[in-house]
Amino acid sequence: MIFRVPFCPHTFPLKEKEINPTQIFAELVPFFLVLILDPDMEIDSGPTHFTDFRSPDTNLNGGECMNPMVVNAFPVGIVHVINSGNVESEVDLRMEPSVGLEFDSSDEARDFYGLYAMRVGFKIRTGQLYRSRRDGSVSSRRFVCSKEGFQLNSRTGCPAFIRVQRCDSGKWVIDQIQKDHNHELGLEGENNSPVLQQKPPVVPKSLVEVLRRPKVKLLGQIENGGSSPSGIINFKRQKRGGDGRQPLPEPYTGLEFNTANEAYEYYQSYAESVGFRVRIGQLFRSKNDGSITSRRFVCSKEGFQHPSRVGCGAFMRIKKKDSESWMVDRLNKDHNHDLGEQMVYENKFSTASKKFIEEETNGMVSMDLGEMNTGKLIKRSRESKIGTDWYPVLLEYFQTRQAEDTGFFYSVEVDNGSCLSVFWADGRSRYSCSQFGDVVILDTSYRKSNYVVPFATFVGVNHHKQPVLLGSALIANESKECFTWLFQTWFKAMSSCRPKSVIADQDIAIQQAITVVFPGAHRRFSSWQIRAKERENLRSMPIEFRYEYEKCIYESQTTVEFNTTWNSLVNKYNLKGNAWLQQMYDKRESWVPLYLRGKFFAGIPIGETVESFFGTQVNGQTPLREFIPRYEQGLEQRREDERKEDFNSFNLQSFSQTKEAIEEQCRRLYTFTIFKIFQDELLQSYSYIGIKTYEEGTICRYLVRQSRNENDKHAVTFSAVNLSVNCSCQMFEFEGVLCRHVLKVFKLLNIRELPSQYILPRWLRNAEYRILCGAESGVSSQELKAFMIWSLRETACKYVECGTTSVEKYKLAYEIMREGGKKLY
């Protein structure tokens, strides 16, 4: 049935008296909510419940009502949506999301999921998006429960979500779904419209968009109590804070501003309304007079310098015009993280903070002005990104392990009665640290993507060059205080074993914590972070620049050569104002191979990503219910690999390639892996020529070069007093194995065995007994005692494990230990 409804705010033919708009809403909300919020929509249907309509052409005052609206009513629970292609389709709001459900757009999918969530009793957020490798377009999207993740205390790590994938046809189809929530439902939907809490009519996309906006008011009821023109309803969005201002328009290329401050304030306000924060990025200067010609304002999650940053690509760049005004010339609105629940700015910035943008910054403006209020930094309270349900589960696991392993250690950071970070290490890890704790890697690669749990590991390198676990942790937040506690706790658990070198991310909080706890340790940045920053900052550079950049980094042999090449590169491509390049140059001693070669890193390759100890078995995406079983499985698998290598090294012999006594010496001492490295260096030394270039007393200097390549040459200095030697390639200092150049000189000098100082105990087959050498190498009494404790404990554990497999073995193990005890006492 079709009715022609004269939609006039003064009169409406429902009853025999004049009715104001409020009464109209009360009468018609259950049925005409769609019509009221979107008067341009046509809804087609069958019979209606409303039959008491008067003539469509007259009102109660006897006058004409202009612009009558045609309304085709529809039964409750179903709507007929007419999309942009004039294709009609019926959608039922009571439909459950399911794999294969199809939508015209990703927005339509979000609207559907949002209404489903409203009915069930939860809220949603837009999660990750995925892009096509071919053209960079969005290929799939995730819509998640608002309690997904742990970034805020209100979130519980809820796994519920839907993911929609774009098909070749242009349609979007649900390809993944998880309906289970880990929290109670219904509480969030209690304040929703009563109409929508019943089995509601499905509403089309345009209504959903209106419902998702902030609350609206009729202008006819706002402005002096007056009425809107006949047949027209105007809506005015209320700004947060209630000042009644109109919403800001979205930024676009060509948008102009009078000043850079004005542009920044606009972008900051836009960011607040959308749900992210802004930092001031790079600036660019004129080659002529040095004045600022353009500026970038970026999302606060741009880059990777801070643990909270995820390399977001959203930004707005403004360029100065001849008229002294500023215009948006480049823009990217796409974020790679969730929006909508960022910290809301508290007040407008003070004059001092706004003036900051105009000050000289030499291209290093990266301060998050979103954290400034009236010129002062807002101190954030320490929060935990670990779900509260993790603590009791982990505590139960720790207590169980402690009953089985007397060497098991764990500690929980507590702040004002709240649990924060957690650290634990079993007896084997603590013993391994006494052997291989000279080089430590703090692996926080969970931050590469969105994570369920902030799981980090302390990893070393054993005598087979395998990763060995030295401790595990859940990191509550990425503050200096948190990392300082973590390093101090690890140091305490490992009986004050102080590492020579630490590999960790370059974030300021981590590096400051290392300085506090391990002031004398060599520091090196994680390669994955360096690679990520290079991709981000060098992608716009020409291929020629990248080639010369790589050559400068990896082929420079001296500091003078590196500095000369770097400055030449910067000048050639006019990059003096590039803030990132300047920052990396200032920190070159922590990532450029030339500066790291003379420091011991157990041969961990520079420029290569260190393999995660647990691989894909345990990472930041591992859910709580699977975490402990997968952790135990991954740990046991790694230790089984180590036992196999131990067995092979003790029971098998490597083949000799030469008849050199020096090769036989190392074959007996080194593990398989280390002997292969030494053997390769020995064989390579035969293709080198050694020429004595200097001699004075007991000191000799040799130039050692390859016979077929004159550019491959190094200087070797030898002292006959204590048989000390060093090479300009610094392989021994970096890896602990002598290089081909030194071996060539030893052959020239007829030195048939390696001096003891060049055989590191950590690379020996019996590395677990290297404390016997430690007493002679200046190890402190405290460290020596710790070494002995862990060595004896580990040996005793092996007896216990083997002795409990049968009654016979138990008797034998008991007898051996009893007889040994008699000798001790």
Side-chain angles (χ1 to χ4, degrees), residues 7 31-41 43 69 71:
F7 197 83
F31 186 77
F32 283 104
L33 182 61
V34 176
L35 171 63
I36 294 171
L37 293 179
D38 198 341
D40 295 327
M41 179 170 294
I43 304 179
M69 182 179 293
V71 178

Side-chain angles (χ1 to χ4, degrees), residues 68 117 254 322 427 454 516 550 567 619 640 709 713 720 724 765 789 819-820:
D322 294 337
V516 170
E550 295 281 338
N567 291 328
N619 52 42
E640 178 61 27
N709 182 7
K713 57 187 177 183
S724 65
R765 295 183 181 190
I789 288 173
E819 291 298 320

Side-chain angles (χ1 to χ4, degrees), residues 482-757:
C482 179
F483 285 111
T484 300
W485 175 89
L486 183 61
F487 286 125
Q488 288 174 338
T489 304
W490 180 87
F491 185 59
K492 177 183 177 182
M494 302 305 160
S495 299
S496 302
C497 177
R498 194 175 296 276
K500 294 179 181 177
S501 306
V502 179
I503 301 176
D505 293 348
Q506 68 183 94
D507 302 86
I508 295 175
I510 297 178
Q511 295 302 318
Q512 288 178 339
I514 294 173
T515 302
V516 170
V517 184
F518 307 123
H522 304 307
R523 287 179 285 178
R524 173 174 150 189
F525 295 156
S526 301
S527 297
W528 74 266
Q529 221 179 20
I530 299 293
R531 297 282 82 80
K533 291 302 296 179
E534 286 176 344
R535 287 193 297 270
E536 176 188 349
N537 290 279
L538 303 181
R539 60 188 172 192
S540 61
M541 301 294 183
I543 297 176
E544 294 80 9
F545 170 84
R546 281 177 277 181
Y547 170 76
E548 294 179 46
Y549 171 84
E550 295 281 338
K551 188 175 180 181
C552 172
I553 298 301
Y554 296 105
E555 296 184 20
S556 296
Q557 297 300 318
T558 65
T559 56
V560 174
E561 181 185 352
F562 173 79
N563 291 329
T564 302
T565 307
W566 181 279
N567 291 328
S568 174
L569 190 65
V570 169
N571 291 330
K572 179 179 178 181
Y573 292 94
N574 297 317
L575 296 172
K576 283 187 176 180
N578 189 297
W580 180 78
L581 284 175
Q582 183 61 48
Q583 182 185 43
M584 297 309 293
Y585 178 76
D586 293 340
K587 298 178 180 179
R588 59 193 179 280
E589 293 185 0
S590 296
W591 68 280
V592 176
L594 169 66
Y595 292 91
L596 297 172
R597 284 182 196 143
K599 302 167 185 175
F600 185 71
F601 284 100
I604 299 172
I606 301 172
E608 295 183 18
T609 302
V610 178
E611 179 187 3
S612 171
F613 181 84
F614 288 97
T616 57
Q617 276 190 306
V618 184
N619 52 42
Q621 306 293 333
T622 306
L624 175 59
R625 62 181 179 275
E626 300 175 19
F627 182 83
I628 291 174
R630 286 164 65 172
Y631 177 88
E632 290 279 316
Q633 182 182 358
L635 183 57
E636 179 56 32
Q637 183 177 326
R638 283 290 193 183
R639 289 178 176 171
E640 178 61 27
D641 292 341
E642 183 178 354
R643 285 191 287 267
K644 287 178 182 177
E645 286 297 322
D646 280 339
F647 179 86
N648 291 338
S649 291
F650 275 107
N651 296 282
L652 301 176
Q653 289 288 335
S654 300
F655 290 106
S656 296
Q657 300 274 349
T658 71
K659 294 183 179 180
E660 301 270 359
I662 203 169
E663 182 186 25
E664 180 60 26
Q665 175 195 16
C666 293
R667 188 172 73 91
R668 287 185 284 103
L669 295 175
Y670 283 143
T671 61
F672 269 9
T673 305
I674 302 304
F675 176 69
K676 287 177 181 177
I677 295 172
F678 173 82
Q679 190 178 57
D680 182 60
E681 292 298 314
L682 180 62
L683 294 174
Q684 290 292 335
S685 70
Y686 288 101
S687 64
Y688 281 75
I689 300 170
I691 304 170
K692 185 185 289 187
T693 60
Y694 173 85
E695 183 174 6
E696 183 177 340
T698 59
I699 306 296
C700 299
R701 187 171 296 132
Y702 292 82
L703 177 67
V704 181
R705 65 175 179 83
Q706 198 191 46
S707 57
R708 296 184 300 272
N709 182 7
E710 294 187 0
N711 293 324
D712 184 0
K713 57 187 177 183
H714 288 278
V716 177
T717 304
F718 174 78
S719 173
V721 175
N722 53 6
L723 298 181
S724 65
V725 64
N726 65 72
C727 178
S728 59
C729 77
Q730 298 181 304
M731 177 177 172
F732 180 79
E733 288 78 4
F734 181 77
E735 191 162 0
V737 178
L738 284 176
C739 64
R740 61 195 68 177
H741 315 107
V742 169
L743 294 177
K744 183 64 182 181
V745 171
F746 278 0
K747 187 171 181 63
L748 293 174
L749 296 172
N750 199 30
I751 296 176
R752 301 175 59 83
E753 285 194 350
L754 294 187
S756 59
Q757 66 264 35

Side-chain angles (χ1 to χ4, degrees), residues 149-404:
F150 300 97
Q151 291 90 334
L152 297 176
N153 291 332
S154 61
R155 300 186 187 177
T156 62
C158 180
F161 76 97
I162 65 168
R163 191 180 84 166
V164 289
Q165 186 91 16
R166 188 182 64 192
C167 302
D168 294 338
S169 63
K171 299 281 188 178
W172 292 74
V173 178
I174 297 179
D175 68 332
Q176 290 183 17
I177 188 170
Q178 170 62 264
K179 294 184 181 179
D180 295 335
H181 298 258
N182 65 358
H183 56 90
E184 293 183 4
L185 300 177
L187 297 178
E188 298 181 34
E190 288 178 358
N191 296 327
N192 294 331
S193 166
V195 178
L196 294 175
Q197 286 180 353
Q198 303 167 8
K199 288 186 178 179
V202 168
V203 290
K205 175 182 173 183
S206 55
L207 173 60
V208 177
E209 289 177 341
V210 174
L211 291 176
R212 282 169 50 194
R213 296 172 190 160
K215 293 180 181 180
V216 295
K217 289 186 179 181
L218 291 175
L219 283 179
Q221 297 174 2
I222 297 173
E223 298 174 359
N224 303 322
S227 302
S228 300
S230 175
I232 299 176
I233 297 180
N234 292 324
F235 291 95
K236 189 170 185 178
R237 188 183 306 212
Q238 286 184 301
K239 193 180 188 301
R240 275 181 280 184
D243 61 5
R245 290 189 295 174
Q246 291 288 349
L248 286 171
E250 291 216 353
Y252 59 87
T253 303
L255 187 61
E256 290 193 19
F257 304 92
N258 293 323
T259 65
N261 276 342
E262 188 177 296
Y264 174 73
E265 289 174 358
Y266 159 80
Y267 195 51
Q268 184 265 326
S269 299
Y270 162 74
E272 179 184 346
S273 67
V274 173
F276 67 98
R277 289 211 303 242
V278 175
R279 284 189 297 111
I280 301 172
Q282 279 184 304
L283 57 82
F284 303 87
R285 296 181 181 274
S286 168
K287 297 178 184 178
N288 299 324
D289 57 8
S291 62
I292 298 173
T293 57
S294 65
R295 285 186 175 275
R296 278 168 59 98
F297 306 126
V298 301
C299 173
S300 64
K301 291 184 177 290
E302 180 263 356
F304 299 94
Q305 295 94 327
H306 189 273
S308 63
R309 300 183 188 175
V310 295
C312 180
F315 75 95
M316 182 179 83
R317 194 179 86 163
I318 56 173
K319 190 172 184 178
K320 196 171 187 179
K321 300 177 67 179
D322 294 337
S323 60
E324 297 299 314
S325 62
W326 295 75
M327 181 184 73
V328 177
D329 71 328
R330 291 187 185 178
L331 181 68
N332 184 359
K333 298 181 185 178
D334 294 334
H335 297 259
N336 65 353
H337 55 89
D338 296 342
L339 299 176
E341 295 197 19
Q342 302 281 349
M343 185 176 72
V344 177
Y345 301 111
E346 298 187 40
N347 287 311
K348 293 182 182 178
F349 300 129
S350 67
T351 304
S353 64
K354 286 192 286 186
K355 185 180 178 182
F356 178 79
I357 192 174
E358 295 296 345
E359 294 176 352
E360 294 294 329
T361 58
N362 296 321
M364 290 294 292
V365 181
S366 59
M367 187 175 185
D368 190 347
L369 292 183
E371 297 176 6
M372 295 185 65
N373 181 33
T374 64
K376 297 180 181 179
L377 289 177
I378 302 169
K379 186 177 180 181
R380 296 178 179 177
S381 59
R382 296 185 67 190
E383 61 177 2
S384 176
K385 295 181 180 179
I386 306 169
T388 54
D389 50 343
W390 282 77
Y391 294 104
V393 174
L394 287 175
L395 184 61
E396 183 180 354
Y397 168 69
F398 296 159
Q399 291 171 341
T400 302
R401 290 290 291 115
Q402 209 166 44
E404 301 168 352

